[in-house]
Amino acid sequence: MDTTRPKEKEREYWLDLLRFIAIFMVICIHCADPFNISPEARANPEYNFWGSLYGAFLRPCVPLFVMITGALLLPIKENTGAFYKKRLSRILIPFLIWSILYNCYPLLTGMLGLDPAVVSETFAYAGPHPSQSVEDTIARLIAIPVSFNAYTIHLWYIFMLAGLYLYMPFLTAWIEKEDLFQYKIYGAFWAATLFLPYAFRFTAPDILGRSAWNSFDTFYYFAGFNGYLFLGYCVKKYPLELNTATKYILCAALFSTGYLITYLGFRYMTANPGSTENDVELFFLYCSPQVALMTLAVILFIKHVKIRSKTVRKYLARTTQYGLGIYLCHYFVVGLGYAISQKLSIPVSVRIPFTALVVFAISWIVVHLFYKATPRYARWIFG
């Protein structure tokens, strides 16, 4: 989740709209978990179809957040120490608070005499027999600084975002040179790395220098989310000089191509009973060529959307302020949202977006009430 808050006079509302779309897509992805994560759900043709359909469509969510971060923060204007203090404190303190809350939830349900099934219904990855013991809770709490688990699975993003923040001052030193030839070379190498997961899966895992004693292949040093960070900077800095109709056609072509590859690849993997977890995730990887195409299409399209309504602008700006808080707390609400959808007999075809709307609304209200009641402390709780 990008944590930047542009000043009103500098505000670019297309970035607010993009952030709203990205966070809603993230929530949708987590609301799709009951459709995709279990063999039973994947064996159900209706669940498999809609889980794949929505899941493939939603993959640009995390890359969009990283691109927004690059667009807003690069190049960094503060010195490295000030930047680290400002950015890392804003994500790490709320991260610690919510990690403790999520990890203590199973223990709390046990202390209240509730069945472990309550934990399974709250967290899709908890499994059928989650532990409510003190010992397991302590072990999870000790591991907070270095790992996430079934109850904090969405917090993987904070680990990645912290790494990007650590990297950004060094990226800034390079991009400030504005060497367009180097930009193109870097972009080409990064694009090549997007194909590596398929090369490792369908040819051999040990190519380009990878081996049991070396994890760093030839193009490793150009790989990862830092490419999206740089791409976000480029999209804002260097507008695409095409007429509107051509841009929209290009966006449609990029998105549809990426989507078809993602959807068909995921369906192919989930249809194979022998697919491993890595196989199932292969076509859903954020750093993959087809997801990069979809992400680029979305940001190029939204960049040209004009938002003139002051009311819409107001609520988009408010959602930007609440974005990290919504992300941190929403995973507590996903199980409730899904239960509401089932209770209302919402058709399977629209259950994922309906559940996401419920989860988003509840999370938004919770964060809003905290900011209204205790704005001083809400910032440290929700970021």
Side-chain angles (χ1 to χ4, degrees):
M1 223 52 42
D2 175 59
T3 61
T4 57
R5 296 175 182 170
K7 295 178 182 178
E8 189 66 26
K9 65 179 181 179
E10 302 171 347
R11 195 165 213 106
E12 296 184 76
Y13 288 98
W14 69 272
L15 285 170
D16 286 335
L17 175 60
L18 193 66
R19 190 159 10 201
F20 167 77
I21 292 170
I23 193 167
F24 187 72
M25 290 174 79
V26 165
I27 294 175
C28 278
I29 277 184
H30 293 145
C31 292
D33 284 345
F35 286 67
N36 291 325
I37 67 171
S38 70
E40 294 79 16
R42 293 201 300 269
N44 182 317
E46 190 175 20
Y47 272 56
N48 185 273
F49 173 74
W50 291 109
S52 302
L53 193 76
Y54 283 111
F57 185 84
L58 299 166
R59 300 324 289 174
C61 60
V62 170
L64 285 174
F65 276 119
V66 178
M67 289 183 70
I68 292 168
T69 301
L72 287 173
L73 292 184
L74 289 175
I76 294 168
K77 302 302 181 184
E78 307 133 299
N79 65 60
T80 300
F83 176 78
Y84 283 168
K85 181 179 179 181
K86 178 180 179 181
R87 294 295 163 188
L88 292 176
S89 65
R90 182 151 184 258
I91 63 171
L92 294 183
I93 293 174
F95 164 77
L96 179 61
I97 292 171
W98 285 96
S99 293
I100 292 172
L101 291 174
Y102 280 109
N103 280 301
C104 288
Y105 178 77
L107 176 62
L108 178 61
T109 61
M111 293 172 64
L112 294 174
L114 300 176
D115 191 274
V118 172
V119 180
S120 299
E121 291 168 0
T122 304
F123 304 114
Y125 287 90
H129 306 291
S131 171
Q132 296 170 303
S133 71
V134 174
E135 295 79 8
D136 287 339
T137 300
I138 293 174
R140 290 194 301 269
L141 292 174
I142 292 173
I144 285 174
V146 294
S147 68
F148 57 91
N149 54 55
Y151 313 119
T152 60
I153 198 163
H154 65 303
L155 297 183
W156 75 270
Y157 178 83
I158 303 299
F159 287 96
M160 186 271 289
L161 182 60
L164 289 178
Y165 282 165
L166 291 173
Y167 175 73
M168 286 176 72
F170 306 98
L171 181 59
T172 292
W174 171 59
I175 65 172
E176 283 184 331
K177 295 180 179 180
E178 295 198 21
D179 188 324
L180 296 183
F181 179 72
Q182 285 191 1
Y183 285 4
K184 293 174 182 177
I185 294 296
Y186 174 84
F189 280 133
W190 178 73
T193 70
L194 300 176
F195 292 88
L196 290 181
Y198 302 105
F200 297 143
R201 169 61 178 82
F202 294 115
T203 59
D206 294 339
I207 57 175
L208 299 176
R210 291 207 340 170
S211 63
W213 60 88
N214 176 49
S215 301
F216 309 103
D217 59 80
T218 304
F219 298 106
Y220 176 90
Y221 313 97
F222 295 91
F225 285 97
N226 52 310
Y228 285 118
L229 201 66
F230 175 66
L231 190 59
Y233 163 78
C234 289
V235 167
K236 183 180 178 183
K237 176 76 173 179
Y238 304 104
L240 196 61
E241 300 298 335
L242 296 173
N243 64 61
T244 302
T246 303
K247 286 177 184 177
Y248 289 159
I249 293 172
L250 175 63
C251 291
L254 292 174
F255 192 91
S256 59
T257 300
Y259 176 76
L260 283 173
I261 296 171
T262 306
Y263 171 75
L264 295 174
F266 183 72
R267 286 301 297 270
Y268 170 77
M269 287 299 186
T270 55
N272 181 2
S275 291
T276 65
E277 182 179 359
N278 288 338
D279 290 337
V280 170
E281 292 289 345
L282 182 63
F283 285 88
F284 269 14
L285 293 176
Y286 295 119
C287 293
S288 60
Q290 74 277 3
V291 173
L293 291 179
M294 295 168 68
T295 305
L296 186 59
V298 173
I299 197 169
L300 289 177
F301 179 83
I302 297 300
K303 193 173 187 294
H304 297 280
V305 173
K306 304 297 182 185
I307 304 169
R308 295 184 173 86
S309 169
K310 291 184 178 180
T311 302
V312 173
R313 287 183 172 187
K314 173 185 174 183
Y315 281 101
L316 286 176
R318 188 68 58 83
T319 300
T320 287
Q321 179 188 4
Y322 296 167
L324 181 60
I326 292 171
Y327 181 80
L328 291 169
C329 74
H330 84 275
Y331 205 58
F332 261 129
V333 193
V334 170
L336 173 62
Y338 193 73
I340 292 173
S341 296
Q342 288 184 307
K343 188 71 174 178
L344 296 176
S345 299
I346 300 299
V348 173
S349 59
V350 293
R351 190 171 295 176
I352 291 173
F354 178 86
T355 303
L357 282 171
V358 173
V359 173
F360 178 84
I362 294 173
S363 301
W364 196 95
I365 291 169
V366 168
V367 177
H368 176 72
L369 291 177
F370 264 88
Y371 266 98
K372 286 295 184 182
T374 59
R376 180 180 177 183
Y377 297 105
R379 182 179 179 274
W380 296 108
I381 298 171
F382 294 105

Coordinates of all heavy atoms in Angstrom, one line a residue, residues 336-366:
L336 N -16.2 -12.3 7.6 CA -17.6 -11.8 7.9 C -18.3 -11.4 6.6 O -19.5 -11.7 6.4 CB -17.4 -10.5 8.8 CG -18.7 -9.7 9.0 CD1 -19.8 -10.6 9.7 CD2 -18.4 -8.5 9.8
G337 N -17.5 -10.7 5.7 CA -18.1 -10.4 4.4 C -18.6 -11.6 3.6 O -19.7 -11.5 3.0
Y338 N -17.8 -12.6 3.6 CA -18.2 -13.8 2.9 C -19.4 -14.5 3.6 O -20.3 -15.0 2.8 CB -17.0 -14.8 2.9 CG -17.2 -15.9 1.9 CD1 -17.1 -15.7 0.6 CD2 -17.5 -17.2 2.4 CE1 -17.2 -16.8 -0.4 CE2 -17.6 -18.3 1.5 CZ -17.5 -18.0 0.1 OH -17.7 -19.0 -0.8
A339 N -19.5 -14.5 4.9 CA -20.6 -15.0 5.6 C -21.9 -14.3 5.3 O -23.0 -14.8 5.1 CB -20.4 -15.0 7.1
I340 N -21.8 -12.9 5.2 CA -22.9 -12.1 4.8 C -23.4 -12.4 3.4 O -24.6 -12.6 3.1 CB -22.6 -10.6 4.9 CG1 -22.4 -10.2 6.4 CG2 -23.7 -9.7 4.3 CD1 -21.8 -8.8 6.6
S341 N -22.4 -12.6 2.5 CA -22.8 -13.0 1.1 C -23.5 -14.3 1.0 O -24.5 -14.5 0.3 CB -21.5 -13.1 0.2 OG -20.9 -11.8 0.2
Q342 N -23.0 -15.3 1.8 CA -23.7 -16.6 1.8 C -25.1 -16.5 2.4 O -26.1 -17.1 1.9 CB -22.9 -17.6 2.6 CG -21.6 -18.0 1.9 CD -20.9 -19.1 2.6 OE1 -20.5 -18.9 3.8 NE2 -20.6 -20.2 2.0
K343 N -25.2 -15.7 3.5 CA -26.5 -15.5 4.2 C -27.5 -14.9 3.3 O -28.7 -15.3 3.3 CB -26.3 -14.7 5.4 CG -27.5 -14.6 6.3 CD -27.8 -15.9 7.1 CE -28.9 -15.7 8.1 NZ -29.2 -17.0 8.8
L344 N -27.1 -14.0 2.4 CA -28.0 -13.3 1.5 C -28.2 -14.1 0.2 O -28.9 -13.6 -0.7 CB -27.4 -11.9 1.2 CG -27.4 -10.9 2.4 CD1 -26.7 -9.6 1.9 CD2 -28.8 -10.7 2.9
S345 N -27.5 -15.2 0.1 CA -27.6 -16.1 -1.1 C -27.2 -15.3 -2.3 O -27.8 -15.4 -3.4 CB -29.0 -16.7 -1.2 OG -29.3 -17.4 -0.1
I346 N -26.1 -14.5 -2.2 CA -25.6 -13.8 -3.4 C -25.1 -14.8 -4.4 O -24.4 -15.7 -4.1 CB -24.5 -12.9 -3.0 CG1 -24.9 -11.9 -1.9 CG2 -23.9 -12.1 -4.2 CD1 -26.1 -10.9 -2.4
P347 N -25.5 -14.7 -5.7 CA -25.0 -15.6 -6.7 C -23.5 -15.7 -6.7 O -22.8 -14.7 -6.5 CB -25.6 -15.0 -8.0 CG -26.7 -14.2 -7.6 CD -26.4 -13.6 -6.2
V348 N -23.0 -16.9 -7.0 CA -21.6 -17.1 -7.0 C -20.9 -16.2 -8.0 O -19.8 -15.8 -7.8 CB -21.3 -18.6 -7.4 CG1 -19.8 -18.8 -7.6 CG2 -21.8 -19.5 -6.3
S349 N -21.6 -15.9 -9.1 CA -21.0 -15.1 -10.2 C -20.6 -13.7 -9.7 O -19.7 -13.1 -10.3 CB -21.9 -15.0 -11.4 OG -23.2 -14.4 -11.0
V350 N -21.3 -13.2 -8.7 CA -21.0 -11.8 -8.2 C -20.6 -11.8 -6.7 O -20.5 -10.7 -6.1 CB -22.2 -10.8 -8.5 CG1 -22.4 -10.6 -9.9 CG2 -23.4 -11.3 -7.8
R351 N -20.4 -13.0 -6.2 CA -20.1 -13.0 -4.7 C -18.8 -12.4 -4.4 O -18.7 -11.7 -3.3 CB -20.1 -14.5 -4.3 CG -20.1 -14.6 -2.7 CD -20.4 -16.1 -2.3 NE -21.7 -16.5 -2.7 CZ -22.2 -17.7 -2.5 NH1 -21.4 -18.6 -1.9 NH2 -23.4 -18.0 -2.8
I352 N -17.8 -12.5 -5.2 CA -16.5 -11.9 -4.9 C -16.5 -10.4 -4.9 O -16.2 -9.8 -3.9 CB -15.4 -12.4 -5.9 CG1 -15.1 -13.9 -5.6 CG2 -14.1 -11.6 -5.7 CD1 -14.2 -14.6 -6.7
P353 N -17.1 -9.7 -5.9 CA -17.1 -8.3 -5.8 C -18.1 -7.8 -4.7 O -17.8 -6.7 -4.1 CB -17.6 -7.8 -7.2 CG -18.2 -9.0 -7.8 CD -17.4 -10.2 -7.3
F354 N -19.2 -8.5 -4.5 CA -20.2 -8.1 -3.5 C -19.5 -8.2 -2.1 O -19.6 -7.3 -1.3 CB -21.4 -9.0 -3.5 CG -22.4 -8.6 -2.4 CD1 -23.3 -7.6 -2.6 CD2 -22.4 -9.3 -1.2 CE1 -24.2 -7.3 -1.6 CE2 -23.3 -9.0 -0.2 CZ -24.2 -7.9 -0.4
T355 N -18.8 -9.3 -1.9 CA -18.1 -9.4 -0.6 C -17.1 -8.3 -0.4 O -16.9 -7.8 0.7 CB -17.4 -10.8 -0.5 OG1 -18.4 -11.8 -0.7 CG2 -16.7 -11.0 0.8
A356 N -16.3 -8.0 -1.5 CA -15.3 -7.0 -1.4 C -15.9 -5.6 -1.1 O -15.4 -4.8 -0.3 CB -14.6 -6.9 -2.7
L357 N -17.1 -5.3 -1.6 CA -17.8 -4.1 -1.3 C -18.2 -4.0 0.1 O -18.0 -3.0 0.8 CB -19.1 -3.9 -2.2 CG -18.9 -3.5 -3.6 CD1 -20.2 -3.6 -4.4 CD2 -18.4 -2.1 -3.7
V358 N -18.7 -5.1 0.7 CA -19.0 -5.2 2.1 C -17.7 -4.9 3.0 O -17.7 -4.1 3.9 CB -19.7 -6.5 2.5 CG1 -19.8 -6.6 4.0 CG2 -21.0 -6.6 1.8
V359 N -16.7 -5.7 2.6 CA -15.4 -5.6 3.4 C -14.8 -4.2 3.3 O -14.4 -3.6 4.3 CB -14.4 -6.6 2.9 CG1 -13.0 -6.4 3.6 CG2 -14.9 -8.0 3.2
F360 N -14.8 -3.6 2.1 CA -14.3 -2.3 1.9 C -15.1 -1.3 2.7 O -14.5 -0.4 3.4 CB -14.3 -1.9 0.4 CG -13.8 -0.5 0.2 CD1 -12.5 -0.2 0.0 CD2 -14.7 0.6 0.1 CE1 -12.0 1.1 -0.2 CE2 -14.3 1.9 -0.2 CZ -12.9 2.1 -0.3
A361 N -16.4 -1.3 2.7 CA -17.3 -0.4 3.4 C -17.0 -0.5 4.9 O -16.9 0.6 5.6 CB -18.7 -0.6 3.1
I362 N -17.0 -1.7 5.4 CA -16.8 -1.8 6.9 C -15.4 -1.3 7.3 O -15.3 -0.6 8.3 CB -16.9 -3.3 7.3 CG1 -18.4 -3.8 7.1 CG2 -16.5 -3.5 8.8 CD1 -18.6 -5.3 7.3
S363 N -14.4 -1.7 6.5 CA -13.0 -1.2 6.8 C -12.9 0.3 6.7 O -12.3 0.9 7.6 CB -12.0 -1.9 5.9 OG -12.1 -3.3 5.9
W364 N -13.5 0.9 5.7 CA -13.4 2.3 5.5 C -14.1 3.0 6.7 O -13.5 4.0 7.3 CB -14.2 2.7 4.3 CG -13.9 4.1 3.8 CD1 -13.0 4.5 2.8 CD2 -14.5 5.3 4.2 NE1 -13.0 5.8 2.6 CE2 -13.9 6.4 3.4 CE3 -15.5 5.6 5.1 CZ2 -14.3 7.7 3.6 CZ3 -15.9 6.9 5.2 CH2 -15.4 8.0 4.5
I365 N -15.2 2.5 7.2 CA -16.0 3.1 8.3 C -15.2 3.0 9.6 O -15.1 4.0 10.4 CB -17.3 2.5 8.5 CG1 -18.3 2.9 7.3 CG2 -18.0 2.9 9.8 CD1 -19.5 2.1 7.2
V366 N -14.5 1.8 9.8 CA -13.7 1.7 11.0 C -12.6 2.6 11.1 O -12.4 3.3 12.1 CB -13.2 0.2 11.1 CG1 -12.1 0.1 12.2 CG2 -14.3 -0.8 11.4

